[in-house]
C-alpha cells in the first residue's frame, strides 16, 4: 500500500551514539531525492512537544557524516510520558504538516514512539542508535562499531602503562545489561579476563585466572569489566578484593565512561547509518509503520518495534568460547 506522506520529521533521542548524524543526513537526503519535505526536530520528544522544528534540505546536512554526537541534540522528556504531553506533540505535528516520523535512538525512544503510534495511528519508523548493541532485531546498532574501536584504542594505551609498571588494570566499559562491548573489545585488545553480566563466573574464577597469569610469567594484566557485571558491587570493590587476596598485584582501575560515546564514527557506522536512513524513508513511503530498520547477514531487515523492545539480544557463544581459549 502506497502512503500519502508528504513531509517527514526526524529526531534523535536517548543517549547519543556515533553515526546518528550520518543517519540524519541519510534521512534528509533521501527525502530530497524522493521530492518530499523533511523537518528536523530538535531535542527529541521535548522538541516535539515544544514544536522546535526546522526544515532541512540536502545542503543543510553537509559535512556532518564524520561528526559524532547529534546535531539535532537529545534531551530527557518526562512530559511525553503523559497522555497530555503526547496530545500536545500530536497537535504540533499536525500544525507543521508532518505526517511521518523517523526516530533514531534506543529502546526507551522506541517505547515512546510505539505508544504514540498506537494512540494516534501516526506512521513511525525506527533506526537503532546505541553503542550498547542491545536492541533485538539487528546484529549491529549505530555506534557500536565506533565504540569498540574507541575502547580497544584506550586499552592499548593502558596496556603500555600496565607493562611499564607491572600492574593489573581493571578497565570498566559500558554495558549495564549486556556485555557486547566488553566481550568484543576484550578479545580484540587481548585482555587476560573479561567480566560480563551474562556470564557470572564468580570471584574465585577471577583469582585463579590471575594466579595462572602470574605463574605463566605475565608481569601485567588487563581485565575488562562491563559496568553491569555481577562479580562485585562495582569495579572498585573488585580491585579491593584482588588486593586483599593477591597482594602480589599492584592494582589500578580505569573507568572509560562517556568517552566511549564520542568521536568520529567509523566507516562501518557511516555506511550502516546511510543504508538505514534510506530504508526508513522508503518504508514509510511504502505505507509501513511501527517498524525498526536492522541489519542481519549484511542485509537490511524490518522488525516490529514492539518485538525490538521486548526481545533480548544474545552474546555470540562462539566468541565467548574464543575468549576462554585466548585468556588461557
Amino acid at each position: 500500500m502506497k502512503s500519502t506522506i508528504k513531509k517527514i520529521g526526524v529526531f534523535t533521542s536517548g543517549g547519543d551514539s556515533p553515526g546518528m548524524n550520518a543517519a540524519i543526513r541519510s534521512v534528509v537526503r533521501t527525502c530530497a531525492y524522493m521530492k518530499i519535505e523533511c523537518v528536523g526536530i530538535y531535542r527529541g520528544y521535548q522538541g516535539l512537544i515544544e514544536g522546535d522544528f526546522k526544515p532541512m534540505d540536502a545542503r543543510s546536512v553537509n559535512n556532518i557524516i564524520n561528526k559524532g554526537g547529534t546535531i539535532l541534540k537529545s534531551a530527557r522528556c518526562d512530559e511525553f510520558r503523559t497522555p497530555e504531553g503526547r496530545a500536545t506533540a500530536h497537535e504540533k505535528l499536525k500544525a507543521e504538516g508532518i505526517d511521518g516520523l523517523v526516530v533514531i535512538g534506543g529502546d526507551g525512544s522506541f517505547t515512546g514512539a510505539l505508544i504514540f503510534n498506537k494512540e494516534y495511528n501516526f506512521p513511525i519508523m525506527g533506526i537503532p542508535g546505541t553503542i550498547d548493541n542491545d536492541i533485538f532485531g539487528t546484529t549491529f546498532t549505530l555506534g557500536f562499531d565506533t565504540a569498540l574501536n574507541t575502547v580497544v584504542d584506550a586499552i592499548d594505551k593502558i596496556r603500555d602503562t600496565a607493562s611499564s609498571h607491572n600492574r593489573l588494570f581493571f578497565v570498566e566499559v559500558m554495558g549495564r545489561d549486556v556485555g557486547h562491548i566488553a566481550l568484543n573489545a576484550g578479545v580484540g585488545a587481548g585482555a587476560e579476563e573479561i567480566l560480563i553480566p551474562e556470564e557470572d563466573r564468580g570471584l574465585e574464577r577471577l583469582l585463579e585466572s590471575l594466579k595462572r597469569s602470574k605463574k605463566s610469567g605475565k608481569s601485567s594484566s588487563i581485565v575488562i569489566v562491563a559496568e553491569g557485571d555481577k562479580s562485585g558491587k562495582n569495579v572498585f570493590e573488585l580491585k579491593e578484593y584482588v588486593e586483599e587476596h593477591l597482594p602480589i598485584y599492584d592494582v589500578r582501575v580505569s573507568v572509560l565512561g562517556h568517552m566511549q560515546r564520542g568521536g568520529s564514527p567509523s566507516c562501518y557506522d557511516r555506511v550502516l547509518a546511510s543504508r538505514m536512513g534510506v530504508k526508513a524513508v522508503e518504508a514509510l513511503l511504502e505505507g509501513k509503520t511501527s517498524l525498526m530498520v536492522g541489519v542481519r547477514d549484511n542485509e537490511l531487515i524490518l522488525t516490529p518495534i514492539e518485538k525490538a523492545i521486548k526481545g533480548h539480544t544474545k552474546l555470540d557463544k562462539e566468541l565467548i568460547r574464543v575468549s576462554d581459549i585466548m585468556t588461557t
Side-chain angles (χ1 to χ4, degrees), residues 54-70:
K54 181 180 178 181
M56 303 183 79
D57 59 22
R59 300 286 71 80
S60 68
V61 289
N62 281 350
N63 304 319
I64 69 168
I65 194 171
N66 59 309
K67 293 180 179 178
T70 163

Side-chain angles (χ1 to χ4, degrees), residues 2-10 27-28 30-40 55-56 93-94 96-102 122-123 281-287:
K2 287 288 183 180
S3 76
T4 56
I5 288 177
K6 300 298 181 185
K7 185 184 287 190
I8 288 176
V10 58
V27 169
V28 172
T30 304
C31 286
Y33 181 82
M34 299 293 186
K35 294 181 171 51
I36 62 173
E37 295 181 72
C38 188
V39 174
M56 303 183 79
L93 288 170
K94 285 200 303 181
E96 183 66 24
I98 297 172
D99 41 24
L101 283 175
V102 175
F122 201 91
V281 173
E282 288 179 341
L284 281 175
L285 295 181
E286 290 168 1

Side-chain angles (χ1 to χ4, degrees), residues 193 205 207-217 327:
E193 193 64 39
R205 183 185 183 280
L207 290 181
E208 288 303 316
S209 175
L210 293 174
K211 287 177 183 176
R212 286 197 306 271
S213 293
K214 201 71 173 178
K215 193 173 182 180
S216 69
T327 56

Side-chain angles (χ1 to χ4, degrees), residues 6-168:
K6 300 298 181 185
K7 185 184 287 190
I8 288 176
V10 58
F11 67 88
T12 52
S13 177
D16 64 290
S17 64
M20 280 186 165
N21 281 327
I24 294 168
R25 174 181 179 270
S26 179
V27 169
V28 172
R29 292 201 166 175
T30 304
C31 286
Y33 181 82
M34 299 293 186
K35 294 181 171 51
I36 62 173
E37 295 181 72
C38 188
V39 174
I41 301 168
Y42 285 81
R43 297 175 294 116
Y45 289 113
Q46 190 65 45
L48 199 59
I49 290 173
E50 296 176 6
D52 193 358
F53 305 150
K54 181 180 178 181
M56 303 183 79
D57 59 22
R59 300 286 71 80
S60 68
V61 289
N62 281 350
N63 304 319
I64 69 168
I65 194 171
N66 59 309
K67 293 180 179 178
T70 163
I71 63 167
L72 292 179
K73 311 296 183 184
S74 185
R76 293 186 181 277
C77 183
D78 291 332
E79 192 178 352
F80 193 78
R81 298 175 185 269
T82 68
E84 295 79 13
R86 294 191 292 273
T88 299
H90 186 244
E91 288 301 320
K92 296 289 186 180
L93 288 170
K94 285 200 303 181
E96 183 66 24
I98 297 172
D99 41 24
L101 283 175
V102 175
V103 181
I104 307 168
D107 56 359
S109 305
F110 290 161
T111 298
L114 187 62
I115 293 171
F116 189 70
N117 169 264
K118 288 182 176 179
E119 288 179 344
Y120 295 99
N121 194 31
F122 201 91
I124 299 281
M125 199 61 54
I127 294 177
T130 168
I131 67 168
D132 288 339
N133 205 43
D134 60 350
I135 296 180
F136 182 82
T138 185
T139 306
F140 299 109
T141 57
L142 295 184
F144 176 60
D145 184 71
T146 305
L148 283 183
N149 289 323
T150 299
V151 170
V152 168
D153 184 59
I155 294 170
D156 288 346
K157 290 178 171 64
I158 290 170
R159 188 178 290 280
D160 291 343
T161 294
S163 300
S164 298
H165 296 276
N166 295 339
R167 285 174 177 161
L168 162 64

Side-chain angles (χ1 to χ4, degrees), residues 175-219:
R176 187 179 297 110
D177 302 309
V178 293
H180 294 289
I181 292 177
L183 179 60
N184 284 268
V187 172
E192 278 67 38
E193 193 64 39
I194 303 168
L195 305 180
I196 54 179
E198 296 90 337
E199 298 279 327
D200 184 6
R201 300 179 179 183
L203 292 170
E204 287 303 317
R205 183 185 183 280
L206 173 62
L207 290 181
E208 288 303 316
S209 175
L210 293 174
K211 287 177 183 176
R212 286 197 306 271
S213 293
K214 201 71 173 178
K215 193 173 182 180
S216 69
K218 288 184 180 179
S219 59

